[in-house]
Amino acid sequence: MLLIHCPYCDETLPEPEFAYAGEAHIARPADPMALTDEEWRDFLFIRSNPRGTHYERWRHVHGCGRFFNAIRDTVSDKFAMTYRAGEPRPNLDALKEAAE
Amino acid sequence: MTQPFRIPGRGRVDQSRPVQFTFDGRTVTGCLGDTVASALLANGIHLMGRSFKYHRPRGVVSAGSEEPNALVGTSRGPGRFEPNTRATMQEIWDELRVESQNRWPGLAFDIGAINDRFGRFLPAGFYYKTFMWPRSFWDKVYEPFIRAAAGLGRSPTEPDPDLYASRNLHCEVLVVGAGPAGLAAALAAGRSGASVVLVDEQSAMGGTLLSEPDVRIDGQGAWDWLAATLAELRSLPSVRLMTRTTAIGYYHQNMVGLCQRVTDHLASPPEGAPRERLWRVRAGQVVLAQGAIEKPLVFDGNDRPGVMLAGAAQTFLHRFGVKVGDRAVVVTSHDSAWHTAFDLARAGVRVPAIVDVRAQVPPDLAARARSLGIEVLASHTVTGTTGRLRVASVMVNPVRGDRVGPWRGIDCDALLMCGGWTPSLHLFSHTKGSLAWDAQAGAFLPDRKTEDCEIAGAGRGLWGIAAALEDGAKAGTAAAKALGRVAGVGTFAVEDDRTGSGVVVKELPTDRDASLAKAFIDFQNDVTAKDIRLAVREGMRSIEHVKRYTTNGMATDQGKLSNINGLMIAADALGKEAPQVGLTTFRPPYAPTTFGALAGYHRGSHFEVTRKTPIDAWAESRGAVFEPVALWRRARYFPQGAEDMRAAVARECRAVRTAVGLFDASTLGKIEVMGPDAATFLERMYTNPWAKLQPGRCRYGLLLGEDGFIRDDGVIGRLTADKFHVTTTTGGAARVLNMMEDYLQTEWPDLDVWLTSTTEAWAVAAVQGPNARKLLEPLVEGLDLSDAAFPHMAVAECTVAGFPARLFRVSFTGELGFEINVPARHGLALWEKLWQAGQSHGITAYGTETMHVLRAEKGFILVGQDTDGTVTPGDAGLDWAIGKQKKDFVGKRSLQRPDIVAKGRKQLVGLLTEDPREVLEEGAQIVADPHQPVPMTMIGHVTSSYWSEALGRSIAMALVEGGRDREGQTLHIPMPGRTLRAKVTGTAFVDPEGQRLKV
Ligand SMILES: [Zn+2]
C-alpha cells in the first residue's frame, strides 16, 4: 500500500483514499473536429507506457476529491513527487540536480 | 512413561503437564509447549504424511515454518478444520484432533503409493506431455485423473465460523525475527527510546538460542540471558513484543504485513477472540533478522521418515527435550551438524558416524567426535537408505577424487543431514532488493536495498551467536540513528559459541545408476534431481522455466528448502555458475496465510454493503422479492398469494398499462449541477443541446465517453437558469460524477460549476399509468397538472402530499407518468400517502422486473444491458439525441472515426420469435444461416428478452450486425438441441407513436 501526498490537502495518506486516473499532461484538444483521424486516435489511445519515470494523474477520491498529477517510477512504484493539476510538467532531472 | 523419546528434565516444554490429542484417531500424549511434530517424535512417530505425487511415506524434516512434509489436517471443533497445517508450527492442546493427509485407506498402507512404483512414468513435465492428446480423452480420462490426484489435503466443507481481526500499527523500528540478531537490534533501538515492534513466528522468542542453551552470553547461560533480555524489552514502554506472528509480506514504503495467530494454540479460546489478526505495520525502519534455513542434502532415499535436518534434531532435543531416534547418523557438508551430533551423543543418543563430504574437516571437531565414540567419515558420501516407513540404515561410500568407493551399511533410525544454510531473505526480496552471490558464503546475500531496512545476522551470511548479536546491535543502532535518535552500540561477551563453515554441494556423489535414484529436492512436490536435469535436457534454460516445468519450489513451502538445491543442480546441468542462472522471485506471503486473515472484517455485509431505499421497509412488509442492483437492494416484484414471478410481473404490467403503478425509483443516480456555467458544462458533457432548454423543462440526456461509446443516460431537468437536476443510471452514479469532476477540474477549470451527488438526498416515487394524474392531482399544491400547463417532460418544484418536492413529468413506461422527488426522510411517508390515495384508482406496486418489461415494450434501452461499452448512439438508434448544431461535446469527434462510420456495425433491433410463446434467453447468440458448419459465424446476441403482457407474446432486443438493414429478415438462435427463429423488427413494440403520453 503506497503512501501518496495530496498536493491540495498537503497530507501524505494511504493509497485506498486515492484512485489512479491515467497518464498526465494529455490535454483534450481545443477543437477535436479539426483533428485528423490519426491525431484523434493518438489522443484517445496512444500512451507512453514508459519503463521508469511516468507522469500520471491521481484523484484524492475519498478525500478532497481533487485530481492532481504525480511522477512515479513504474519499476520501483516510487513517487518522485506530486503536484497540482494545471501546473506545468516538472523537469525531474532539474529537480534532482537542484536537490543535490 | 508414554513418551519413550522424551528426555526427562530437558527442553522448555512443561513435562509435568501432559497434553492429550489425537493423531489419525489414536490418542497421543505430549507436553504443554509441544508442537504436533515434537509430541509425535517424543512418541517415536516419524511417519506423519504422504507425499503429493508419489504418496511416499514422509516424516518431519524441519522444526519450523519451512516444513515441507509434515502437513496435517487439524480440527479445532465443529466447522473448524484446516488442511495443510504444519505439524512443526501447530501447538498441541487437549482434544486437538490431527489427521494425516494424502493417504488412503491409511498412513501405513496407502493405495496411491502405486504411483511411486511407476514413478519413472511421472517425470518432469509429465502433465504437459501426457494430457495433450487426443482431445476426446480430456473429459473422460485426464480431467478425472487430475482431479483425483490434485490437491493437498482436503478442503474444509463448512463456512468458517471464526473471527479474523485486522489492525494498523505505526512504529519507528520493526524487527522481524527474535533470534540473537533481532533481540540485539530491538534492545539497541528500544534503549534509544524508539517505538519498537519485535515479532517472531514461533511461540517463544529466542530463535537459535532456544536450540543452543550451552552458549554463554555476558556470563549467563543462553536461556538466562534470553529471559533477562526479554524482561528488559518488556520493561521498555515503547517496545511491543509479538510471538506467533509471521511477517508475511514486505510492501512499499516500509509497510509489513503481520499475521498473528491468536487462538489456534488454545484449548478454550476466550469468547469472541479472533482466531488470527492481520497487522498492517508502517515502520520508519525495518530490521530483518530472519536467520537462515538449513539446506537438505540431495541423495537417493533422502526422503525416508527419519531423515531430517540436523538443526531440526538439535531443536527437538534442546527446545522440546525429544530425541529424534536412538541411533542417529549425521551426513553433512557444514560444521554446524557436528555440534548437533555432539549434543545428541551427550544426551544419550548413539551416533555411530558423522559422514562429511569434505576431505578436510576441522581437526578439533574430529577429535571431539572421536572422544564421544563417533566414527569420523570425512570425504564420504551417502548413496542410499533402507527402511520402509522409517529409515533403517544408510549406505556410506568413500570418495577419492571422482571415484566413489564401495558402500557399507550403517544401521540407524535417524539420519541427520546438513547441506549448509540459506540466508532467509524472502521479505527482503519482496521489496525488490537485489541479491548477490557470495562465493565464500556459498549463498545469495543482500545487495542493493530499495527500502529503509537493515538486514542482520545469518541473513547476511554471518554464523555464530556472537556475530549475530553484534550485527543485530549494529542494525538496531543504525535504525535508531536514521530516525534521529541517539543510540549506543551494545557489546556482548559470548563463550562456547559455535561458529563454522561448510561447502556448497549439488547432489551427493554416487556409484549407483543415477536414473534409478530418488534424490528429492522439493519434498512437497516430489521433485527429484533427475527431474531438474531432465528439464534442462529438454531445453529449459531459465530457472523460471525449470521451476514451472518441474514444479520445483511451487508447493506451499515456496521452495524454502528446495530453491537453492534446485538452482545448484540446474546450474550444473547448464554448465553455468549459480549467479548466472539466477534465483526465482520470492513473493508474499512468506508462509501460507489463511483467507480469513486477509479478509479480516470484510466478510458478509461488511464485504458487500446493502444499500436500502427509504421505501425498502414497506416493500419488505409487502413480501417483495428483492434483487441486488449496484449494491442497492431493489424490489424485483411483489408476489401476491402463490404467484410466481411471471404471474406477478404480468399483473403488475397490466396495472400500469390500464390503471396506475407505483415504483420506487430512489436508487436513480442524481447529481446537482449548479453555477453560472452549468448549461455550458452540460452542453459539453452530454450529446444533447441544453443551452436553450427552458427552466421548468427536462430532456433525455445521453453521455458518451471520448471514444464515442455510450456511457450513461438519464433525464436532466432544468430547475432554474443555473440549476440542473441530473439523473443517471443506478449503477452509473459514481462513475458519471467522477467523469464530470474530471472534465470540470482538469479540462475546463475556467467553468464556474459545482457538482454535488444527491442520489441519497432524494427519495423518488414513480407514478405511472393512465390514472396517474387523477391520483396525484389532489395531493399536489402550487402546480396545475393539466397536460397544457405541465406537459410531458416538464419539471417543477411544488408540494406533494405536504412534502416539498421536485416533480418530473416523465415516463419510462410509455404511460402518463410522474416522478416525485422528496427529501429522503419523507420518502416512506410520501409513498404511504400515494398508496392510500391510489386505492380508489387501482394502484399497484411494481418492481424492477416490471419496469424492465415496460421499458422494453417501448424500446427504451438500459445502459449496460442493451449496450456494452462498444455501442454508439447510432448503433443504439439514438441519433435523435445528438445536438446536430453543437460544435463539440465529449465523444463527438469519435463519431466520425473510420470504424464507427463503417457499415456492418452491430445495431440494436427488435426480435419477434416465430413462436410467440418462446421467450429468448438473454445473451443467446444469433446466426444468419443455421445450416452452416460449426463453429458458426455469429452476427449478434440477444440483449433483452421478456414476456410482454401487453402484446400477449414474447419480445426481445438484440445487437445484430447491420441490424436495421435486416428488418423483416428471419434470423436464427441456436440453442441446445434446437434452433429458434425470430424476425427482425423495430424496437418500439407498444404504442410506437407515443399517443399514450398525450393525455
Ligand atoms: Zn486531497
Side-chain angles (χ1 to χ4, degrees):
Chain A
M1 185 167 51
L2 298 166
L3 293 173
I4 302 174
H5 183 259
C6 172
Y8 292 96
C9 297
D10 198 17
E11 294 267 9
T12 300
L13 297 159
E15 187 181 342
E17 292 193 19
F18 297 84
Y20 178 70
E23 188 166 358
H25 299 293
I26 300 174
R28 186 174 192 271
D31 183 5
M33 300 308 284
L35 267 55
T36 64
D37 283 340
E38 289 69 30
E39 288 167 335
W40 184 248
R41 173 203 62 200
D42 290 353
F43 162 71
L44 274 185
F45 302 122
I46 306 303
R47 296 295 180 264
S48 61
N49 193 27
R51 185 178 200 277
T53 304
H54 190 229
Y55 293 76
E56 61 193 27
R57 305 185 326 137
W58 286 78
R59 186 181 180 204
H60 192 189
V61 61
H62 298 294
C64 64
R66 302 298 298 264
F67 284 84
F68 58 89
N69 292 330
I71 308 177
R72 189 178 55 97
D73 189 298
T74 58
V75 178
S76 69
D77 258 3
K78 283 189 176 158
F79 284 89
M81 66 177 294
T82 59
Y83 53 102
R84 295 181 175 210
E87 287 177 8
R89 176 196 292 254
N91 183 330
L92 194 59
D93 294 332
L95 284 170
K96 274 183 188 158
E97 267 172 40
E100 284 160 10
Chain B
M1 183 76 183
T2 59
Q3 302 170 52
F5 290 87
R6 184 84 62 186
I7 308 169
R10 257 197 195 260
R12 297 172 63 93
V13 298
D14 188 344
Q15 296 203 14
S16 68
R17 299 274 299 278
V19 173
Q20 291 195 321
F21 66 105
T22 64
F23 179 63
D24 285 342
R26 158 183 168 198
T27 298
V28 177
T29 305
C31 297
L32 189 68
D34 261 329
T35 62
V36 169
S38 66
L40 291 175
L41 290 176
N43 289 277
I45 301 168
H46 275 255
L47 178 61
M48 296 190 196
R50 286 195 174 250
S51 69
F52 174 53
K53 193 155 93 179
Y54 300 131
H55 286 221
R56 283 170 71 94
R58 289 285 166 80
V60 68
V61 175
S62 76
S65 68
E66 69 271 32
E67 175 58 32
N69 276 350
L71 303 184
V72 294
T74 44
S75 299
R76 295 170 293 110
R80 292 182 161 88
F81 173 78
E82 180 183 80
N84 300 325
T85 308
R86 286 149 297 163
T88 48
M89 297 299 287
Q90 175 67 50
E91 294 163 63
I92 58 165
W93 35 268
D94 284 319
E95 287 166 40
L96 174 71
R97 280 182 296 141
V98 179
E99 62 179 55
S100 58
Q101 297 185 160
N102 299 340
R103 81 290 185 270
W104 187 85
L107 190 52
F109 173 74
D110 170 64
I111 297 268
I114 199 150
N115 283 353
D116 191 25
R117 307 262 303 274
F118 295 99
R120 65 169 65 198
F121 301 118
L122 295 170
F126 169 74
Y127 292 91
Y128 301 111
K129 291 167 185 161
T130 308
F131 298 122
M132 286 172 60
W133 181 89
R135 171 68 184 81
S136 60
F137 266 44
W138 184 259
D139 296 341
K140 294 197 171 63
V141 182
Y142 299 151
E143 189 177 324
F145 176 86
I146 292 173
R147 284 197 186 284
L152 280 171
R154 62 181 173 94
S155 299
T157 51
E158 290 162 73
D160 187 340
D162 280 312
L163 294 174
Y164 296 84
S166 71
R167 278 179 74 173
N168 295 317
L169 184 70
H170 292 82
C171 67
E172 291 180 82
V173 183
L174 170 67
V175 181
V176 179
L183 289 167
L187 264 186
R191 283 172 180 167
S192 81
S195 65
V196 176
V197 176
L198 172 64
V199 302
D200 196 283
E201 64 178 342
Q202 291 289 328
S203 58
M205 297 209 160
T208 48
L209 295 180
L210 300 175
S211 309
E212 295 194 9
D214 300 336
V215 177
R216 296 184 66 78
I217 306 169
D218 292 343
Q220 301 173 80
W223 288 0
D224 292 335
W225 181 87
L226 175 61
T229 299
L230 291 174
E232 179 181 349
L233 286 170
R234 275 191 206 98
S235 73
L236 295 170
S238 64
V239 175
R240 180 195 287 263
L241 305 179
M242 294 165 72
T243 53
R244 300 186 181 90
T245 302
T246 305
I248 57 171
Y250 192 155
Y251 306 92
H252 289 298
Q253 287 158 301
N254 267 4
M255 196 185 89
V256 177
L258 308 176
C259 183
Q260 181 183 23
R261 300 183 303 283
V262 182
T263 59
D264 273 7
H265 64 290
L266 298 175
S268 40
E271 187 72 27
R275 179 184 176 214
E276 293 176 335
R277 185 179 287 121
L278 189 76
W279 296 78
R280 283 177 295 266
V281 181
R282 187 76 70 171
Q285 295 282 322
V286 172
V287 177
L288 297 172
Q290 296 176 278
I293 295 176
E294 197 169 14
K295 274 184 285 186
L297 288 168
V298 182
F299 54 89
D300 188 22
N302 64 345
D303 67 325
R304 232 176 269 288
V307 183
M308 63 180 356
L309 294 168
Q314 189 175 320
T315 294
F316 287 121
L317 174 68
H318 291 301
R319 187 170 162 203
F320 299 98
V322 171
K323 297 185 290 184
V324 297
D326 287 324
R327 279 178 70 87
V329 171
V330 171
V331 54
T332 184
S333 66
H334 194 279
D335 295 344
S336 66
W338 289 70
H339 296 286
T340 302
F342 303 156
D343 288 356
L344 286 170
R346 283 187 296 148
V349 177
R350 276 219 50 200
V351 182
I354 297 175
V355 182
D356 200 312
V357 301
R358 298 174 293 181
Q360 304 294 327
V361 298
D364 58 323
L365 294 180
R368 199 153 154 214
R370 287 187 192 104
S371 74
L372 287 163
I374 303 171
E375 186 181 2
V376 174
L377 296 169
S379 194
H380 271 66
T381 184
V382 166
T383 56
T385 59
T386 65
R388 198 172 74 84
L389 300 176
R390 175 84 179 264
V391 65
S393 76
V394 50
M395 298 146 90
V396 176
N397 311 47
V399 180
R400 296 283 171 270
D402 287 341
R403 264 203 62 237
V404 177
W407 65 273
R408 70 171 164 110
I410 304 176
D411 290 346
C412 62
D413 60 1
L415 177 58
L416 310 180
M417 56 184 169
C418 173
W421 298 78
T422 306
S424 213
L425 293 167
H426 306 74
L427 287 184
F428 179 71
S429 299
H430 295 173
T431 68
K432 286 197 172 171
S434 61
L435 304 177
W437 178 255
D438 185 300
Q440 207 196 338
F444 284 97
L445 297 182
D447 189 19
R448 190 180 44 79
K449 294 190 282 192
T450 66
E451 296 282 346
D452 292 326
C453 65
E454 305 284 342
I455 299 99
R460 294 209 303 120
L462 301 171
W463 310 119
I465 304 285
L469 287 168
E470 189 190 327
D471 200 45
K474 245 192 266 172
T477 302
K481 283 189 171 159
L483 294 159
R485 293 194 175 270
V486 180
V489 179
T491 53
F492 305 90
V494 178
E495 300 158 67
D496 301 327
D497 197 3
R498 295 170 164 187
T499 56
S501 63
V503 296
V504 182
V505 290
K506 39 186 203 296
E507 306 103 308
L508 293 191
T510 183
D511 58 336
R512 301 167 65 202
D513 182 350
S515 71
L516 297 175
K518 281 191 171 151
F520 286 89
I521 296 173
D522 185 324
F523 294 102
Q524 201 174 116
N525 268 356
D526 275 341
V527 179
T528 63
K530 198 171 57 183
D531 291 323
I532 302 272
R533 292 187 180 279
L534 179 66
V536 170
R537 274 206 306 283
E538 294 190 347
M540 307 299 144
R541 290 293 175 270
S542 153
I543 194 69
E544 297 284 358
H545 290 158
V546 171
K547 165 181 167 174
R548 281 154 185 82
Y549 199 59
T550 61
T551 72
N552 191 54
M554 288 172 69
T556 63
D557 59 336
Q558 285 195 60
K560 288 191 181 73
L561 299 184
S562 61
N563 274 3
I564 284 288
N565 280 332
L567 169 63
M568 287 300 155
I569 290 165
D572 184 62
L574 286 163
K576 292 183 179 174
E577 293 300 312
Q580 270 76 60
V581 179
L583 266 183
T584 55
T585 311
F586 290 112
R587 294 193 175 81
Y590 170 75
T593 306
T594 63
F595 284 116
L598 297 173
Y601 300 114
H602 300 284
R603 56 195 286 182
S605 60
H606 288 261
F607 173 69
E608 190 172 85
V609 298
T610 301
R611 301 165 82 189
K612 294 179 180 178
T613 76
I615 295 141
D616 181 90
W618 187 93
E620 188 172 276
S621 73
R622 299 288 160 141
V625 174
F626 291 94
E627 68 169 338
V629 182
L631 296 186
W632 287 97
R633 168 172 116 134
R634 301 196 72 182
R636 192 175 186 193
Y637 57 98
F638 292 85
Q640 291 186 353
E643 274 181 345
D644 60 7
M645 182 169 92
R646 186 167 169 159
V649 169
R651 174 179 51 71
E652 291 172 13
C653 286
R654 277 196 305 273
V656 176
R657 295 253 181 257
T658 59
V660 65
L662 186 58
F663 176 66
D664 179 4
S666 303
T667 65
L668 272 185
K670 302 167 210 76
I671 300 166
E672 191 110 325
V673 179
M674 273 193 82
D677 297 320
T680 306
F681 177 69
L682 291 177
E683 191 84 2
R684 294 184 191 179
M685 291 301 302
Y686 282 79
T687 64
N688 325 61
W690 301 99
K692 292 192 182 125
L693 184 73
Q694 294 301 309
R697 303 287 297 167
C698 45
R699 178 168 285 166
Y700 172 77
L702 187 63
L703 183 70
L704 309 184
E706 205 68 89
D707 52 14
F709 298 128
I710 294 173
R711 289 289 193 279
D712 203 78
D713 67 352
V715 168
I716 300 175
R718 188 170 201 172
L719 298 163
T720 62
D722 62 356
K723 182 156 78 173
F724 288 83
H725 180 115
V726 174
T727 65
T728 73
T729 58
T730 291
R735 247 188 341 260
V736 172
L737 182 64
N738 187 68
M739 182 175 165
M740 284 184 174
E741 282 286 355
D742 193 349
Y743 277 90
L744 184 59
Q745 289 183 33
T746 67
E747 299 293 354
W748 311 312
D750 52 311
L751 293 186
D752 194 357
V753 177
W754 291 87
L755 305 170
T756 309
S757 167
T758 54
T759 301
E760 293 177 26
W762 298 102
V764 185
V767 180
Q768 303 275 314
N771 294 345
R773 187 183 288 117
K774 274 185 272 180
L775 187 165
L776 213 50
E777 245 164 358
L779 298 173
V780 173
E781 286 169 52
L783 189 67
D784 176 359
L785 277 194
S786 72
D787 190 47
F790 196 65
H792 184 54
M793 301 307 267
V795 59
E797 292 185 278
C798 60
T799 301
V800 179
F803 304 114
R806 286 180 182 175
L807 183 64
F808 287 75
R809 182 168 165 197
V810 288
S811 172
F812 200 42
T813 61
E815 301 298 328
L816 171 65
F818 298 90
E819 287 184 4
I820 309 151
N821 290 251
V822 297
R825 64 185 181 282
H826 301 310
L828 185 57
L830 170 77
W831 182 276
E832 283 173 339
K833 288 195 174 175
L834 292 169
W835 185 252
Q836 205 71 50
Q839 291 309 309
S840 51
H841 302 290
I843 195 167
T844 298
Y846 68 96
T848 51
E849 192 65 24
T850 292
M851 180 266 283
H852 287 171
V853 175
L854 297 172
R855 65 90 201 173
E857 288 176 342
K858 291 293 297 176
F860 297 152
I861 65 161
L862 279 187
V863 172
Q865 176 162 337
D866 301 301
T867 69
D868 60 3
T870 66
V871 176
T872 66
D875 301 340
L878 294 172
D879 277 333
W880 58 266
I882 292 174
K884 299 289 180 295
Q885 310 304 320
K886 291 173 65 169
K887 280 186 60 193
D888 191 18
F889 54 80
V890 173
K892 179 176 168 70
R893 175 65 184 80
S894 283
L895 299 182
Q896 290 174 17
R897 280 162 55 202
D899 282 356
I900 283 176
V901 296
K903 283 213 168 320
R905 287 188 61 82
K906 286 185 182 169
Q907 294 172 324
L908 195 67
V909 295
L911 284 184
L912 290 175
T913 48
E914 201 160 73
D915 176 352
R917 290 162 305 171
E918 189 73 56
V919 180
L920 294 172
E921 226 172 84
E922 286 173 355
Q925 295 292 324
I926 298 166
V927 301
D929 170 15
H931 304 297
Q932 61 187 304
V934 174
M936 297 188 182
T937 303
M938 297 175 285
I939 59 169
H941 69 277
V942 177
T943 61
S944 288
S945 177
Y946 308 96
W947 173 259
S948 166
E949 186 67 7
L951 298 176
R953 60 152 301 136
S954 70
I955 57 168
M957 290 199 274
L959 281 167
V960 177
E961 279 173 20
R964 285 199 288 275
D965 288 340
R966 295 180 189 263
E967 203 162 318
Q969 282 184 24
T970 297
L971 298 180
H972 306 269
I973 299 99
M975 298 299 289
R978 63 197 181 133
T979 297
L980 305 173
R981 293 158 62 85
K983 206 167 76 185
V984 179
T985 68
T987 54
F989 299 100
V990 168
D991 185 28
E993 295 80 31
Q995 293 300 324
R996 301 179 67 85
L997 294 173
K998 296 174 185 159
V999 289

